[in-house]
Amino acid sequence: MQIYKVGGAVRDRLLGKPVTDIDWVVVGATTEEMLAKGYRPVGADFPVFLHPKSGEEYALARTERKNGRGYGGFIFHASPDVTLEEDLIRRDLTINAMAEDDQQNLTDPYHGQQDLEARLLRHVSPAFAEDPLRVLRVARFAARYAELGFTVAPETLELMHQLSESGELEALTPERSWKEIARALMEDQPQVFIEVLRECGALKVLMPEIDALFGVPQPEAHHPEIDTGVHTLSVLEQAARHKQPLTVRWACLLHDLGKGLTPEKEWPRHIAHEHKGLKLIKAVNERFKVPKDCQELALLVGKYHTHGHRALELKPSTLLELLQSFDVYRRPQRFEEFIAACEMDARGRKGLEQRSYPQADYLRGAATAARSIAVQPLLEKGFKGPELGEAIKGERLKALKAYKDQA
Ligand code: CTP
């Protein structure tokens, strides 16, 4: 049997990027031989094994044919007579379809190295269409390698377009899609992911609520970039630039969905868009079975981001409601993430990226003031149950009034 390094490990070594996990392909072996050598079988779908010591993935060379819709609709053929070239041709991109032996000799039948140099994300063959998840993968790679100047080859974009129109994307499971989305959002230029999805028509299938924001104007005085879609991408870009976690990036992407529902005659104003957007945020959250912390923050940021921007003008009672809604006493981190999302929203405006955001410290100070209330004296006064709750609220309100007066 011959063993080759394949996929991302070869690509990233040639790009001079750090290689984190290594995938291997095994040519000329049978399942029985692998088991005899101590490899552990994984995955019911494909003949993939884990190395007994390193735990890295070793897959038998295989060919794939699609015989149905979605990811389940595969038949594969793995046998010792499948060649390396046959295994490589079923892969997604030419830059991912190179193999290397233990002497670092490259096997590159589909000219991946040439495409690396040309900074092109190009599909290997029509077999690309056999897994619609690849539409998201290409957009993710475009985001990851944008800073190196990579773009999607026109013929690949065309194929992604056809796949998006074919209804195949709807067959993806929420789990597979979310995994790609989450990884893409954590790249340095996540906005490129959304741009590429939009360009190939996948955005209007996967997240029509975001697609709908493009072409929707906002008042130029607050939003010099005008277009709501452009603004959303800038907010996401800022979130990445400021190294925000996934929760914040997800909330940034969804915060203005309500603006897509404003009747044209009301443009460029978007009255109550925060509230109107909530059902859309919920729908997107559910579509991809998004993790709970991301879901929650997106809804809270959607509902309250304007409160964040107006923090310095809020009445103490409104400030208190805001802090209560976030349960800032038990969930301080979530409130920090809200503040971060609001700040990214403010910075994601053309020409205002560097402007300071005093609301952030003001909100932090308000949270500290409300949190500083001592419960013990109220207990000593005999308050209990709902009355105690009301008394605590009253004290917090007093503290917020004092905070606002001295701020
Ligand atoms: N692959 C593919 N189609 C997919 C998933 C994977 O063709 N839908 C192939 C590609 O050749 C890819 C390899 O399997 O390079 C390994 O896949 P994976 O580990 O998911 O990606 P990497 O390319 O290693 O990229 P990353 O750095 O994002 O992990």
Coordinates of all heavy atoms in Angstrom, one line a residue, residues 120-153:
L120 N -6.5 31.1 -7.3 CA -7.8 30.8 -7.8 C -8.4 29.6 -7.1 O -7.7 28.6 -6.9 CB -7.7 30.4 -9.3 CG -7.8 31.6 -10.3 CD1 -7.7 31.1 -11.7 CD2 -9.1 32.4 -10.1
L121 N -9.6 29.8 -6.7 CA -10.4 28.7 -6.1 C -11.2 28.1 -7.3 O -12.2 28.7 -7.8 CB -11.4 29.2 -5.0 CG -10.7 29.9 -3.9 CD1 -11.7 30.6 -3.0 CD2 -9.8 28.9 -3.1
R122 N -10.7 26.9 -7.8 CA -11.3 26.4 -9.0 C -11.7 24.9 -8.7 O -11.0 24.2 -8.1 CB -10.3 26.4 -10.2 CG -10.9 26.1 -11.5 CD -9.8 25.6 -12.5 NE -8.7 26.4 -12.6 CZ -8.6 27.5 -13.5 NH1 -9.6 27.7 -14.3 NH2 -7.5 28.2 -13.5
H123 N -12.9 24.5 -9.2 CA -13.4 23.1 -8.9 C -12.6 22.2 -9.8 O -12.1 22.6 -10.9 CB -14.9 23.0 -9.1 CG -15.3 23.2 -10.5 ND1 -15.4 24.4 -11.2 CD2 -15.7 22.3 -11.5 CE1 -15.8 24.3 -12.4 NE2 -16.0 23.0 -12.6
V124 N -12.5 21.0 -9.3 CA -11.6 20.0 -10.0 C -12.4 19.4 -11.2 O -11.8 19.3 -12.3 CB -11.3 18.8 -9.1 CG1 -10.4 17.8 -9.8 CG2 -10.6 19.3 -7.8
S125 N -13.6 19.1 -11.1 CA -14.4 18.4 -12.1 C -15.9 18.6 -11.9 O -16.2 19.1 -10.8 CB -14.0 16.9 -12.2 OG -14.7 16.3 -11.1
P126 N -16.7 18.1 -12.8 CA -18.2 18.2 -12.5 C -18.6 17.5 -11.3 O -19.7 17.7 -10.8 CB -18.8 17.6 -13.8 CG -17.7 17.7 -14.9 CD -16.4 17.6 -14.2
A127 N -17.8 16.6 -10.8 CA -18.1 15.9 -9.5 C -18.3 16.8 -8.3 O -18.8 16.5 -7.3 CB -17.0 14.8 -9.2
F128 N -17.8 18.1 -8.5 CA -18.0 19.1 -7.5 C -19.4 19.1 -7.1 O -19.8 19.3 -5.9 CB -17.6 20.5 -8.1 CG -17.8 21.6 -7.1 CD1 -16.7 22.0 -6.3 CD2 -19.0 22.3 -7.1 CE1 -16.9 23.1 -5.5 CE2 -19.1 23.4 -6.2 CZ -18.1 23.8 -5.4
A129 N -20.3 19.0 -8.1 CA -21.8 19.2 -7.8 C -22.3 18.0 -7.0 O -23.5 18.1 -6.5 CB -22.5 19.2 -9.2
E130 N -21.6 17.0 -6.7 CA -22.1 15.9 -5.9 C -22.3 16.2 -4.5 O -23.0 15.5 -3.8 CB -21.2 14.6 -6.1 CG -21.4 14.1 -7.6 CD -20.5 12.9 -7.9 OE1 -19.8 12.4 -7.0 OE2 -20.6 12.5 -9.0
D131 N -21.7 17.2 -4.0 CA -21.9 17.6 -2.6 C -22.1 19.1 -2.5 O -21.2 20.0 -2.6 CB -20.6 17.3 -1.7 CG -20.9 17.7 -0.3 OD1 -22.0 18.1 0.1 OD2 -19.9 17.5 0.5
P132 N -23.4 19.5 -2.3 CA -23.8 21.0 -2.4 C -23.1 21.7 -1.2 O -23.0 23.0 -1.3 CB -25.3 21.0 -2.2 CG -25.7 19.6 -1.7 CD -24.6 18.7 -2.2
L133 N -22.7 21.1 -0.2 CA -22.0 21.8 0.9 C -20.8 22.5 0.4 O -20.3 23.5 0.9 CB -21.5 20.8 2.0 CG -21.0 21.5 3.3 CD1 -22.2 22.1 4.1 CD2 -20.2 20.6 4.2
R134 N -20.3 22.1 -0.8 CA -19.1 22.7 -1.3 C -19.3 24.1 -1.7 O -18.4 24.9 -1.8 CB -18.6 21.9 -2.5 CG -18.0 20.5 -2.1 CD -17.8 19.6 -3.2 NE -17.0 18.4 -2.8 CZ -16.8 17.4 -3.6 NH1 -17.3 17.3 -4.8 NH2 -16.1 16.4 -3.1
V135 N -20.6 24.5 -2.0 CA -20.8 25.9 -2.2 C -20.4 26.7 -1.0 O -19.7 27.8 -1.1 CB -22.4 26.1 -2.5 CG1 -22.7 27.6 -2.6 CG2 -22.7 25.4 -3.8
L136 N -20.8 26.3 0.2 CA -20.4 27.0 1.4 C -18.9 26.9 1.6 O -18.3 27.8 2.1 CB -21.2 26.4 2.6 CG -22.6 26.9 2.7 CD1 -23.5 26.0 1.9 CD2 -23.1 26.8 4.1
R137 N -18.3 25.7 1.3 CA -16.9 25.5 1.5 C -16.1 26.5 0.7 O -15.2 27.1 1.2 CB -16.5 24.1 1.2 CG -16.7 23.1 2.3 CD -16.4 21.7 1.9 NE -15.0 21.5 1.5 CZ -14.0 21.1 2.4 NH1 -14.3 21.0 3.6 NH2 -12.8 20.9 2.0
V138 N -16.5 26.7 -0.6 CA -15.7 27.6 -1.4 C -15.8 29.0 -0.9 O -14.8 29.7 -0.8 CB -16.2 27.5 -2.9 CG1 -15.6 28.6 -3.7 CG2 -16.0 26.1 -3.5
A139 N -17.0 29.4 -0.5 CA -17.2 30.7 0.1 C -16.3 30.9 1.3 O -15.8 32.0 1.6 CB -18.7 31.0 0.4
R140 N -16.3 29.8 2.1 CA -15.4 29.9 3.3 C -13.9 30.0 3.0 O -13.2 30.8 3.6 CB -15.7 28.6 4.2 CG -14.7 28.5 5.4 CD -15.2 27.5 6.4 NE -15.1 26.1 5.9 CZ -14.0 25.4 5.9 NH1 -12.9 25.8 6.2 NH2 -14.1 24.1 5.4
F141 N -13.5 29.2 2.0 CA -12.1 29.4 1.6 C -11.8 30.8 1.0 O -10.7 31.3 1.2 CB -11.7 28.3 0.6 CG -11.5 26.9 1.2 CD1 -12.3 25.8 0.8 CD2 -10.6 26.7 2.2 CE1 -12.1 24.6 1.4 CE2 -10.4 25.4 2.8 CZ -11.2 24.4 2.4
A142 N -12.8 31.3 0.3 CA -12.6 32.7 -0.2 C -12.4 33.7 0.9 O -11.6 34.6 0.8 CB -13.9 33.0 -1.1
A143 N -13.2 33.5 2.0 CA -13.0 34.3 3.2 C -11.6 34.1 3.8 O -11.0 35.1 4.1 CB -14.1 34.1 4.2
R144 N -11.3 32.9 3.9 CA -10.0 32.6 4.6 C -8.8 33.1 3.9 O -7.9 33.7 4.4 CB -9.8 31.1 4.8 CG -8.5 30.8 5.6 CD -8.2 29.3 5.6 NE -9.2 28.6 6.3 CZ -9.2 27.2 6.4 NH1 -8.2 26.6 5.8 NH2 -10.1 26.6 7.0
Y145 N -8.8 33.0 2.5 CA -7.6 33.3 1.7 C -7.8 34.7 1.0 O -7.0 35.0 0.2 CB -7.3 32.2 0.7 CG -7.0 30.9 1.4 CD1 -7.6 29.7 1.1 CD2 -6.0 30.9 2.4 CE1 -7.3 28.5 1.7 CE2 -5.7 29.7 3.1 CZ -6.3 28.5 2.7 OH -6.0 27.3 3.4
A146 N -8.8 35.4 1.4 CA -9.0 36.8 0.8 C -7.8 37.6 0.9 O -7.4 38.3 0.0 CB -10.2 37.4 1.4
E147 N -7.2 37.6 2.1 CA -6.0 38.5 2.3 C -4.8 38.1 1.4 O -3.9 38.9 1.2 CB -5.6 38.5 3.8 CG -5.3 37.1 4.3 CD -4.4 37.1 5.5 OE1 -4.3 38.1 6.2 OE2 -3.8 36.0 5.8
L148 N -4.8 36.8 0.9 CA -3.8 36.4 0.0 C -4.1 36.8 -1.5 O -3.4 36.5 -2.4 CB -3.5 34.9 0.1 CG -3.0 34.4 1.5 CD1 -2.8 32.9 1.4 CD2 -1.7 35.1 1.8
G149 N -5.3 37.3 -1.7 CA -5.7 37.7 -3.0 C -6.5 36.6 -3.8 O -6.7 36.7 -5.0
F150 N -7.0 35.5 -3.1 CA -7.7 34.5 -3.8 C -9.1 35.0 -4.2 O -9.8 35.7 -3.5 CB -7.9 33.3 -2.9 CG -6.7 32.3 -2.9 CD1 -5.6 32.6 -2.2 CD2 -6.8 31.2 -3.7 CE1 -4.5 31.7 -2.2 CE2 -5.7 30.3 -3.8 CZ -4.5 30.6 -3.0
T151 N -9.5 34.5 -5.4 CA -10.9 34.7 -5.8 C -11.5 33.4 -6.4 O -10.7 32.4 -6.6 CB -11.0 35.8 -6.9 OG1 -10.1 35.4 -8.0 CG2 -10.6 37.1 -6.4
V152 N -12.8 33.4 -6.6 CA -13.4 32.1 -7.1 C -13.3 32.2 -8.6 O -13.7 33.2 -9.2 CB -14.9 32.1 -6.6 CG1 -15.5 30.8 -7.1 CG2 -15.0 32.2 -5.1
A153 N -12.9 31.1 -9.3 CA -12.8 31.1 -10.7 C -14.2 31.2 -11.3 O -15.2 30.7 -10.7 CB -12.2 29.7 -11.2

